[in-house]
Amino acid sequence: MSSEVRSFHHEPTRTWSHVLVGADGRHAVVIDPVLDYEASSGRMSTTTADTLIKWCRERELAIDWILETHAHADHLSAAPYVKSQLGGRIGIGEGIRKVQGHFFKVFNATDIVPDGSVFDHLFADGDTFDVGGTCVTVMSTPGHTSDSVTYVADDKAFIGDTLFSPDYGSARCDFPGGDAGELYRSVQRLYALGDETRLYLCHDYPPDGREPQPSFTVAEQRGGNRHLHQGIAEADFVSMRTQRDRGLALPELIIPSVQINVRAGQLPPPEDNGIAYIKVPINTL
Ligand SMILES: [Fe+2]
């Protein structure tokens, strides 16, 4: 038996979350779960995460890990909620320390140190772990952010925002720690996984008339990705990406997302009235 994947779509942020079930059909990991958040009211809810949790319960899965491909800047992580419901350990790439170092300063978060210890585990390039008889290998794939990692299992790879769909292209590289040249080289490593490997996305932004799709094969990406198809030189990609990033607005949910996601999905500590707050740094981002 080989591993299998069930993907869950979050329409408001166009995020794909995935459950990878190991070869034994019993052990599984959750990848990039999403919390619902209404920016106008500051209200959080778990409707989307509950759908994923219900599916895991129906399958009677033992959740070993809740994995982040990176600290997302456009949606809030539901990792702690999923952990509270299903168990598992929250893991992310070790580059998160650098991302924390930056954003803890921006938000003057003095209650926490940027050593990654708020996560249960930090992964380094080449680390491996077992999920129900399936070996998962962690590949460091920086570029979009410095903490971006890809989780590879059998012929499946969970690539975060390393690539989007072939018709949309690639992720921005202008966040702190982002680097277009690094992204180019990370994508070449993904392509080296082989044409049949299925690359699972963190987001899909389909044009009108196409349904969101959770994955594309290496062959589809290498053959047709509008930014990173075969034959594009690194220098050409870097110049296109850099120019394009200059014109992009920040994601709508970046301010709540980075404050919460760099804390492994936890809220900042409540103030003495018992309420937790999200800060807005003025003229800083
Ligand atoms: Fe992202």
Side-chain angles (χ1 to χ4, degrees):
M1 274 255 306
S2 110
S3 56
E4 60 165 308
V5 181
R6 171 75 155 87
S7 301
F8 296 83
H9 189 243
H10 185 241
E11 174 58 31
T13 60
R14 305 195 216 174
T15 304
W16 281 107
S17 307
H18 310 281
V19 180
L20 168 73
V21 184
D24 69 353
R26 291 275 301 121
H27 287 264
V29 300
V30 174
I31 300 161
D32 291 334
V34 183
L35 196 68
D36 296 290
Y37 179 67
E38 190 183 77
S40 57
S41 63
R43 209 155 261 289
M44 294 173 170
S45 61
T46 58
T47 313
T48 302
D50 284 331
T51 306
L52 180 153
I53 288 165
K54 182 167 176 270
W55 186 83
C56 292
R57 285 202 175 120
E58 283 167 1
R59 292 282 304 257
E60 296 180 17
L61 297 174
I63 302 301
D64 296 344
W65 290 96
I66 300 151
L67 302 172
E68 302 283 9
T69 53
H70 62 297
H72 313 279
D74 50 9
H75 66 268
L76 277 61
S77 169
Y81 177 68
V82 173
K83 179 178 171 172
S84 74
Q85 298 300 303
L86 296 175
R89 301 170 71 205
I90 302 175
I92 196 166
E94 62 184 357
I96 187 65
R97 293 192 192 102
K98 225 167 124 187
V99 181
Q100 286 181 325
H102 176 79
F103 284 114
F104 288 170
K105 266 196 207 115
V106 169
F107 292 99
N108 197 24
T110 51
D111 61 299
I112 186 165
V113 285
D115 63 358
S117 61
V118 68
F119 291 84
D120 295 318
H121 190 78
L122 303 185
F123 291 107
D125 185 54
D127 282 354
T128 60
F129 56 93
D130 176 87
V131 180
T134 294
C135 178
V136 179
T137 303
V138 182
M139 271 172 75
S140 170
T141 45
H144 168 57
T145 61
S146 54
D147 65 329
S148 292
V149 292
T150 291
Y151 301 98
V152 185
D154 298 331
D155 56 352
K156 306 160 182 77
F158 300 87
I159 64 171
D161 291 353
T162 308
L163 280 170
F164 294 132
S165 59
D167 57 15
Y168 197 84
S170 59
R172 65 194 303 163
C173 296
D174 60 336
F175 292 149
D179 184 302
E182 268 188 341
L183 183 69
Y184 181 93
R185 294 186 292 277
S186 291
V187 168
Q188 305 314 309
R189 284 186 76 197
L190 295 181
Y191 288 173
L193 292 171
D195 276 358
E196 301 310 310
T197 302
R198 192 155 275 286
L199 305 177
Y200 286 84
L201 311 177
C202 184
H203 295 280
D204 189 19
Y205 307 99
D208 284 347
R210 177 170 75 71
E211 288 298 304
Q213 229 177 288
S215 68
F216 294 86
T217 62
V218 165
E220 288 170 323
Q221 292 283 16
R222 202 208 310 253
N225 186 289
R226 59 189 294 227
H227 295 163
L228 282 159
H229 59 78
Q230 191 162 16
I232 297 264
E234 179 174 333
D236 292 336
F237 171 73
V238 169
S239 119
M240 179 283 300
R241 191 66 263 173
T242 309
Q243 205 173 346
R244 203 179 160 87
D245 287 347
R246 281 197 200 110
L248 293 178
L250 286 178
E252 201 183 327
L253 293 181
I254 188 170
I255 287 176
S257 297
V258 293
Q259 274 177 93
I260 288 170
N261 295 343
V262 294
R263 293 171 176 269
Q266 289 166 32
L267 292 171
E271 298 196 3
D272 56 12
N273 61 358
I275 300 173
Y277 291 83
I278 301 284
K279 291 181 185 175
V280 178
I282 302 300
N283 295 334
T284 305
L285 290 180

